[in-house]
Amino acid sequence: MSPSGLLPESPDLLEPLSALEPRLSCIGRAELAAVLAPIVGRLAEPVAAAEWLELAPRALSLCRKLYANARSGDALILARAVLFQAALTDDPVLERRASIVCGLLAADTADIVEAIEHYVNALRLSADDPVEASGIWNNIGLAMGIAGNYEMAGRCYERALDLLRERQGREYVRYAACVNLAQSHFHLASHAQGIGHAERALAEQTQEFIERDAHVALLLRRNLVRLLVALGRIDEAPQHVAEAAALADRIRTPRALIAAATARAVHELATGGTDVGLTRLEKALSHARQVPGALRDTLACTIAAEEAAGHSERALLRLNELSEHVYRSAIDKARGNVELAAVAGFISSRCDAAQEQARARLISKRPAAAKPESWDALDRMAVSAALRMDRSGWHGKRVGALSKALALASGMNPLQALEIGFAAELHDIGMLSVPEELLARKGTVRDAEHAIVRRHIDAGAEILGDDRHPRIFLAREIARYHHARWDGEGYPERVGHRFIPVEARICAIADAYDEMVSGLAGPASSMDQALAELRREAGSRFDPELVACFDRMVREESEDLGVDLASTAGMEAFQELVNALQEDRGFV
């Protein structure tokens, strides 16, 4: 501590910053927050000029490295603190840089509103510098691309290029804008224009540009692969696939590995390697859930691949997920922000129309619902897994009934709700992989033992690996993600908010409620007490909108049945509710 009792001086803060950098891909969120806390605290009050000039660039550099390691949410608090200090000290240069970093991080977490607010502030501070302004418009385009509006993104990239029209020679910002324009045109199916921009970017590229940001170079190669395949120029794609793989091996960040994997998968699908390509895309999508900024693009690629392979039902599930996770969450935020009314005006109904056309096309191809041949065997395995925790063995059945009811109450159509109910019954099938002595233990579980229990989500996904039938595919998604938390603190780690499949969010609430009322997670609670606990954890562990919907559904159903939610004989009343929810209500 300094003699004044304040936080340590900058040398003591810079040392932990340096120590963090090689550990960014593996350090836990709690440890990272503990290291960043004193730095954020330091930046909340005036900082001496010498200390500020050393600390600010290092802090922003760390934020960019966290971004590269798919940890934008963890970096935002530090970037905002730097921005606050820059404004406090009237440092317009660092305020502009911090605004750009804050925008980058906010967009990557799918908060498009905050991102654009930061970019507008950066434009204000750009002092009419065309290169600076061009870079900011390029970033605004990236934010709109994450939101799924590629038409608006393209306009932003064109604005970035217009600002550099009078400048001679090669400019990094022009090169990056061309890379991004190629991607936008790919998504707008204007492939000839896209390949033109990609080839222009390749001509502009220098070794210096690659060294400056190898990830942009990787995206260029991925975009070239996708555009060449779309134009039928498949023979030209392998060299770009190889370049993408080499760059990803060099960068070794999650978003780089996702980009290289999608490039390779697109080429494999185009050359007849359907099963290999779809498997590779599935793995990339799993990684993309931890990189919100990459999820939209990876989902879109997966939808196209599934449809091309004739898997209409799976493509439709992914399309629904795309709408839920990206379009509704990001775009509705923008529409709800008065200050961004001008931007929201560009978010045209074409996005809605394109999604509805795709949905109608996929629904028309969907086969009639039928039980998978392996379903009875899987159902028995799920009951066997439940018996290891619940003497009745009906934990999965109760969770399925509650999940079906919640899906229906949340506005899903009856057949969709019914399938979610069936799939949720298998959510804990992976518990077959957990030693019985760990399941039987009621006391404190050591970290190593807890890690073994957590692996049941991976085991469940593996058991349900033969997911050619849409119901098993849905069950696998629920098994893998039903322990993900809304705040991203669950497992799989860093998958949170609307990036958790909605079916898994539904199951998580039903699962927790059943565990509390049936006494599987400790002393049994009354139905009312369990609802209160769900409300307490809404917004942290659970989707708050779904919790409110579940609370309303349980109360309304219980009132109709004359069930006393406060009864100490909670399980008896609860079973009456579950029995009612399991009844055929005209679903089929």
Side-chain angles (χ1 to χ4, degrees):
M1 297 292 286
S2 63
S4 63
L6 299 176
L7 289 168
E9 295 300 323
S10 57
D12 294 322
L13 294 177
L14 290 170
E15 184 178 346
L17 277 179
S18 300
L20 272 177
E21 294 188 1
R23 303 176 56 220
L24 292 182
S25 62
C26 60
I27 187 173
R29 298 187 75 181
E31 185 182 353
L32 178 62
V35 175
L36 295 181
I39 303 168
V40 172
R42 162 73 68 191
L43 295 173
E45 57 187 35
V47 174
E51 180 180 359
W52 169 240
L53 289 174
E54 192 172 7
L55 182 58
R58 293 289 296 277
L60 290 178
S61 175
L62 179 67
C63 288
R64 289 185 177 279
K65 287 183 171 66
L66 284 166
Y67 165 82
N69 281 277
R71 308 198 65 165
S72 295
D74 296 331
L76 259 174
I77 187 172
L78 178 59
R80 288 171 181 151
V82 174
L83 178 59
F84 174 81
Q85 182 65 208
L88 194 66
T89 56
D90 193 24
D91 186 337
V93 174
L94 270 170
E95 185 179 352
R96 186 189 71 242
R97 292 176 183 171
S99 293
I100 291 170
V101 171
C102 283
L104 183 74
L105 298 172
D108 199 43
T109 61
D111 191 340
I112 307 305
V113 170
E114 181 181 348
I116 295 178
E117 286 174 340
H118 288 304
Y119 289 141
V120 168
N121 188 48
L123 280 172
R124 179 181 62 82
L125 296 163
S126 64
D128 297 323
D129 183 328
V131 176
E132 288 289 346
S134 177
I136 295 165
W137 276 107
N138 197 39
N139 285 342
I140 295 173
L142 289 171
M144 297 312 301
I146 290 171
N149 193 321
Y150 290 102
E151 182 180 6
M152 180 60 185
R155 294 186 190 186
C156 294
Y157 302 137
E158 292 285 4
R159 179 68 178 273
L161 291 176
D162 285 342
L163 287 166
L164 300 176
R165 193 173 300 278
E166 303 301 322
R167 294 185 67 88
Q168 301 299 315
R170 296 182 180 183
E171 290 281 354
Y172 176 81
V173 177
R174 183 188 290 121
Y175 155 72
C178 287
V179 172
N180 293 328
L181 257 176
Q183 179 169 327
S184 290
H185 282 298
F186 170 77
H187 285 286
L188 293 169
S190 47
H191 301 132
Q193 288 176 275
I195 199 72
H197 287 295
E199 289 174 344
R200 180 183 176 187
L202 197 59
E204 290 259 348
Q205 189 181 71
T206 66
Q207 189 60 38
E208 179 186 348
F209 291 171
I210 296 174
E211 295 298 330
R212 178 171 172 175
D213 195 334
H215 185 70
V216 173
L218 170 54
L219 291 182
L220 172 57
R221 298 294 179 170
R222 185 204 61 186
N223 293 340
L224 278 162
V225 171
R226 299 197 300 191
L227 288 162
L228 288 167
V229 167
L231 290 169
R233 294 161 55 181
I234 299 171
D235 292 344
E236 299 175 49
Q239 69 178 90
H240 301 296
V241 173
E243 289 286 348
L247 285 164
D249 285 341
R250 171 182 160 189
I251 304 168
R252 302 304 299 174
T253 63
R255 66 183 68 251
L257 296 174
I258 292 166
T262 54
R264 186 173 294 279
V266 166
H267 183 253
E268 288 167 341
L269 289 163
T271 53
T274 302
D275 290 342
V276 174
L278 288 176
T279 300
R280 194 181 305 279
L281 273 180
E282 191 64 35
K283 290 180 179 177
L285 186 57
S286 179
H287 291 303
R289 295 192 191 284
Q290 300 177 37
V291 189
L295 181 57
R296 201 276 176 208
D297 189 76
T298 312
L299 270 172
C301 188
T302 306
I303 291 166
E306 294 282 14
E307 184 178 5
H311 302 161
S312 303
E313 185 74 31
R314 290 172 55 145
L316 183 60
L317 285 169
R318 291 305 185 200
L319 182 63
N320 289 337
E321 181 180 355
L322 174 61
S323 177
E324 164 70 17
H325 287 318
V326 183
Y327 183 77
R328 297 301 172 194
S329 62
I331 299 302
D332 286 354
K333 285 179 183 176
R335 282 179 170 157
N337 190 303
V338 176
E339 294 180 8
L340 295 177
V343 173
F346 285 108
I347 301 170
S348 67
S349 60
R350 288 181 61 185
C351 293
D352 290 311
Q355 287 196 355
E356 289 309 315
Q357 289 172 4
R359 186 173 284 108
R361 182 179 67 252
L362 292 169
I363 288 174
S364 69
K365 297 178 181 178
R366 180 169 57 183
K371 184 171 66 174
E373 292 181 4
S374 60
W375 190 256
D376 289 341
L378 291 170
D379 187 46
R380 289 192 297 272
M381 292 169 66
V383 173
S384 298
L387 279 169
R388 309 173 88 205
M389 306 169 288
D390 173 16
R391 285 181 296 178
S392 72
W394 291 100
H395 169 63
K397 300 295 182 184
R398 295 192 299 267
V399 170
L402 292 168
S403 297
K404 177 184 72 175
L406 176 53
L408 193 62
S410 69
M412 294 185 179
N413 68 66
L415 285 176
Q416 189 179 5
L418 185 66
E419 287 300 312
I420 289 172
F422 283 135
E425 292 181 9
L426 272 59
H427 73 283
D428 266 344
I429 194 170
M431 281 294 186
L432 290 169
S433 69
V434 180
E436 291 182 1
E437 53 268 29
L438 291 186
L439 294 177
R441 183 171 298 169
K442 298 296 182 183
T444 303
V445 179
R446 294 187 294 270
D447 288 346
E449 295 169 337
H450 186 59
I452 293 172
V453 175
R454 285 174 58 159
R455 288 185 62 191
H456 81 277
I457 63 169
D458 300 318
E462 190 169 343
I463 291 169
L464 299 166
D466 185 10
D467 58 5
R468 287 168 291 185
H469 192 285
R471 185 185 295 176
I472 299 178
F473 177 69
L474 191 58
R476 193 190 68 180
E477 294 288 278
I478 290 173
R480 177 179 284 161
Y481 294 106
H482 72 281
H483 281 294
R485 288 172 54 108
W486 183 255
D487 60 11
E489 295 288 347
Y491 50 100
E493 188 181 1
R494 299 199 298 275
V495 178
H497 291 264
R498 296 182 185 276
F499 300 100
I500 308 166
V502 65
E503 300 86 0
R505 280 183 270 142
I506 286 172
C507 180
I509 293 169
D511 183 31
Y513 190 70
D514 182 76
E515 286 185 346
M516 287 186 282
V517 177
S518 62
L520 293 180
S525 305
S526 71
M527 295 172 69
D528 204 34
Q529 289 171 332
L531 287 175
E533 182 64 16
L534 288 179
R535 292 195 301 273
R536 189 182 71 80
E537 296 199 88
S540 56
R541 183 178 174 188
F542 304 114
D543 181 333
E545 292 181 10
L546 287 176
V547 167
C549 189
F550 185 83
D551 187 288
R552 187 166 54 251
M553 179 272 294
V554 169
R555 293 186 186 283
E556 289 174 356
E557 292 283 349
S558 298
E559 184 177 353
D560 289 345
L561 294 169
V563 167
D564 180 10
L565 292 176
S567 171
T568 53
M571 192 59 191
E572 183 178 339
F574 178 49
Q575 191 59 55
E576 185 177 351
L577 170 67
V578 171
N579 290 341
L581 295 177
Q582 286 177 324
E583 292 175 358
D584 179 8
R585 299 188 176 191
F587 288 97
V588 291

